[in-house]
Amino acid sequence: MLLWFVIIYWVLSVGIGLYAGTKVHTAKDFAIAGRHLPMHIVVATVFATWFGSETVLGIPAVFLKEGLHGVVADPFGSSLCLIIVGLLFAAPLYRMNLLTIGDFYRKRYGHTAETLTSIAIVLSYLGWVGAQISALGLVFNVVSAGEISKITGMWIGSGTILIYTLFGGMWAVAITDFIQMIVIVIGMLFIGHEVSGQLGGVGVVIEHARQAGKFEFWPNLDPKEVIGFFAAWITMMLGSIPQQDVFQRVQSSKTVKIAIWASVLGGILYFLFAFVPMFLAYSATLIDPKMVSGLIDVDPQMILPTLVLQHAPLIAQVMFFGALLSAIKSCASATLLAPSVTFTENIIKPLLIQRLHGARLADHVLLNYMRIVTLSFTLLVTLYAVHSDASIFSMVENAYQVTLVMAFVPLACGVYWKRATNQGALFSIFFGLTTWLSILIAGPEDPFIPAQLAGVTASGLGMLIGSLLPKYIKDPLPEHPHNFLHEHAANLHQH
């Protein structure tokens, strides 16, 4: 019966996504919903995009083993990312009226920087989308009592999400996200109430976790631990900022005020609700300690689903798996769309224009290419997920290292440092990437300074050196943006 509830919910959500696809007539509709989304929809799609499989399955598994100290990257770093985007980046980027984040690098630094950062952004999504597809396989396997294998579940999940993302683009993602946010919130709160009722209230679980040392957040005053803690924090906090899915939500907003505050509110909501799955997973240690001890070192991601299946009534199971599927689907659809749009706009489109000798590319042609790339990326990332044995949490956390070391510094300096140049951006990208790869490939297994921290530091030095040296690489002056710092300050004062 649980499987049939899941199937019915799945079919309905796909149908809603396909209906939303009737609003797509142009590439702009497909990529950023024509910049027509109101506040409640943008808040919902920010929240639902980030509340994915790692939030429900990955973060609780790490929390059980390491406490709050282990989840500094997510939800602490990731929620701060959304708040920083809203307060510091949403207004200046929104005013540029761009289709992708890659367009910013082209206008600010030129085509080479656009290509390099766009490739980094696209590659970073392999891990994130792979995590969602892996989780879909796990869910279908669990609710079918093993009748559907994990691999078959991955293909079923990615195929059905592809259907409405392919036709509906950002419109489909936004509308389904709004519904899925409602399901996530109600489902998580319902199962939380159900579980806490078995233990005598929320306070009992929290006090037990406190006594077990699970709320210890800060590292020991050891230089290596402090540096590792800081590196983990900034990986998602800063590495997630130059991402197309975050940018799409900013650009899809109807007004600049919505772009700013929807991101901030979405980040706050995400941070608050991310603790519900952690609460549920820790409750399992009190309800069924034998089950937890059997799974904690083998497959900790299965602790929460097993708890619900073995110790919750059918209605609670339906609510939980409905919320879990909503979380995964909203995240997966957004992260399939984002790299596909970026690759089409910033890699394929310039090549097509070059072949047309600079002639304007027809909008319907660009839209068709976006859909073809979405299909291709879905196949690629599903194959990656099928053959990857990494945990959901590590897939997501590692996904952002490449954008942290290659794309964050050029974005931040491009917005807030007038002296940042095309040459500085290329130095930044080269220094960051080579330093990061050198440590990963040839460095020690457990370096004193983690590869991503060394990479982003080198990226900052590259920007400084390249921008202050005499210019050997010219800036793209015709598209050079205005002084974003002054514009943004004025915007914040206005709103």
Side-chain angles (χ1 to χ4, degrees):
M1 187 173 291
L2 175 61
L3 179 60
W4 279 109
F5 274 116
V6 169
I7 291 172
I8 292 169
Y9 172 67
W10 195 262
V11 171
L12 285 173
S13 60
V14 170
I16 292 167
L18 288 174
Y19 169 75
T22 60
K23 295 178 174 288
V24 175
H25 305 292
T26 67
K28 189 174 182 180
D29 290 336
F30 188 84
I32 54 174
R35 299 190 109 191
H36 292 314
L37 299 184
M39 173 71 85
H40 63 285
I41 297 290
V42 183
V43 171
T45 191
V46 168
F47 169 83
T49 297
W50 284 71
F51 202 99
S53 63
E54 74 285 355
T55 315
V56 183
L57 301 176
I59 293 174
V62 176
F63 174 73
L64 284 181
K65 299 181 78 171
E66 304 178 30
L68 285 182
H69 177 80
V71 295
V72 59
D74 193 5
F76 290 92
S78 52
S79 54
L80 275 172
C81 163
L82 294 172
I83 294 169
I84 290 170
V85 166
L87 296 178
L88 298 180
F89 291 95
L93 293 176
Y94 185 88
R95 294 162 81 104
M96 290 185 71
N97 194 22
L98 308 171
L99 196 64
T100 69
I101 189 69
D103 290 346
F104 169 84
Y105 294 99
R106 183 187 71 250
K107 290 197 171 192
R108 187 65 170 88
Y109 301 117
H111 179 61
T112 303
E114 171 197 21
T115 302
L116 293 173
T117 51
S118 296
I119 291 173
I121 290 166
V122 170
L123 289 176
S124 73
Y125 279 97
L126 278 175
W128 198 2
V129 188
Q132 312 314 313
I133 292 174
S134 295
L136 284 173
L138 185 149
V139 171
F140 277 110
N141 179 255
V142 169
V143 299
S144 67
E147 292 296 318
I148 300 175
S149 70
K150 288 184 180 181
I151 292 177
T152 303
M154 288 182 195
W155 285 107
I156 293 172
S158 63
T160 48
I161 290 172
L162 171 66
I163 292 171
Y164 70 79
T165 306
L166 192 68
F167 290 98
M170 188 60 195
W171 269 113
V173 169
I175 293 175
T176 53
D177 277 359
F178 177 70
I179 295 168
Q180 286 159 358
M181 175 185 166
I182 296 172
V183 175
I184 289 168
V185 171
I186 294 175
M188 284 289 127
L189 291 179
F190 182 88
I191 192 67
H193 174 75
E194 190 71 30
V195 168
S196 63
Q198 297 182 29
L199 296 168
V202 175
V204 173
V205 181
I206 293 175
E207 179 59 24
H208 193 280
R210 187 191 67 79
Q211 292 181 5
K214 295 300 181 182
F215 294 155
E216 294 179 5
F217 178 69
W218 299 105
N220 296 323
L221 293 179
D222 174 77
K224 189 174 187 303
E225 282 196 38
V226 172
I227 291 173
F229 180 84
F230 178 71
W233 198 331
I234 67 167
T235 297
M236 293 188 71
M237 182 174 71
L238 303 182
S240 304
I241 290 175
Q243 288 284 6
Q244 176 62 17
D245 62 284
V246 179
F247 176 83
Q248 275 180 315
R249 276 127 197 84
V250 168
Q251 293 289 47
S252 299
S253 303
K254 189 180 291 186
T255 67
V256 67
K257 186 176 181 179
I258 293 173
I260 294 169
W261 296 111
S263 183
V264 173
L265 291 174
I268 293 171
L269 279 175
Y270 172 73
F271 180 76
L272 295 175
F273 273 91
F275 285 92
V276 178
M278 284 189 266
F279 167 82
L280 296 174
Y282 192 81
S283 299
T285 64
L286 304 180
I287 294 174
D288 194 345
K290 186 177 179 180
M291 178 270 288
V292 173
S293 62
L295 289 173
I296 191 70
D297 294 319
V298 180
D299 192 1
Q301 295 167 168
M302 280 297 297
I303 291 174
L304 192 47
T306 304
L307 171 72
V308 174
L309 285 174
Q310 294 183 357
H311 298 278
L314 179 61
I315 182 63
Q317 294 177 21
V318 171
M319 295 297 287
F320 173 78
F321 284 102
L324 177 56
L325 283 172
S326 294
I328 297 170
K329 288 198 307 179
S330 59
C331 189
S333 59
T335 49
L336 282 175
L337 179 65
S340 304
V341 169
T342 298
F343 190 80
T344 307
E345 170 72 9
N346 302 113
I347 306 296
I348 293 178
K349 182 180 175 181
L351 295 176
L352 293 174
I353 291 176
Q354 190 177 26
R355 285 180 59 186
L356 294 171
H357 304 290
R360 183 180 178 85
L361 186 67
D363 187 80
H364 73 276
V365 175
L366 184 63
L367 177 59
N368 288 336
Y369 269 101
M370 285 182 179
R371 285 174 165 153
I372 292 169
V373 173
T374 302
L375 171 62
S376 304
F377 188 78
T378 303
L379 294 173
L380 176 65
V381 81
T382 305
L383 288 170
Y384 168 79
V386 166
H387 292 96
S388 176
D389 58 358
S391 72
I392 290 172
F393 187 84
S394 63
M395 273 190 193
V396 172
E397 185 179 11
N398 294 334
Y400 299 105
Q401 292 193 17
V402 64
T403 46
L404 175 66
V405 303
M406 288 182 67
F408 171 71
V409 171
L411 174 64
C413 290
V415 172
Y416 285 110
W417 191 35
K418 288 189 294 182
R419 297 186 65 180
T421 65
N422 184 17
Q423 179 173 276
L426 296 178
F427 274 42
S428 175
I429 293 167
F430 177 76
F431 281 24
L433 179 62
T434 53
T435 302
W436 178 63
L437 287 177
S438 297
I439 295 176
L440 284 181
I441 296 170
E445 189 172 331
D446 186 21
F448 184 78
I449 299 178
Q452 71 270 31
L453 180 57
V456 73
T457 303
S459 178
L461 288 173
M463 173 60 77
L464 187 65
I465 294 169
S467 296
L468 297 181
L469 280 176
K471 290 184 182 179
Y472 298 99
I473 304 172
K474 292 183 179 180
D475 289 324
L477 292 177
E479 289 191 296
H480 202 290
H482 301 299
N483 184 344
F484 289 132
L485 182 59
H486 291 165
E487 283 190 358
H488 185 46
N491 181 75
L492 286 179
H493 178 72
Q494 180 182 353
H495 294 287

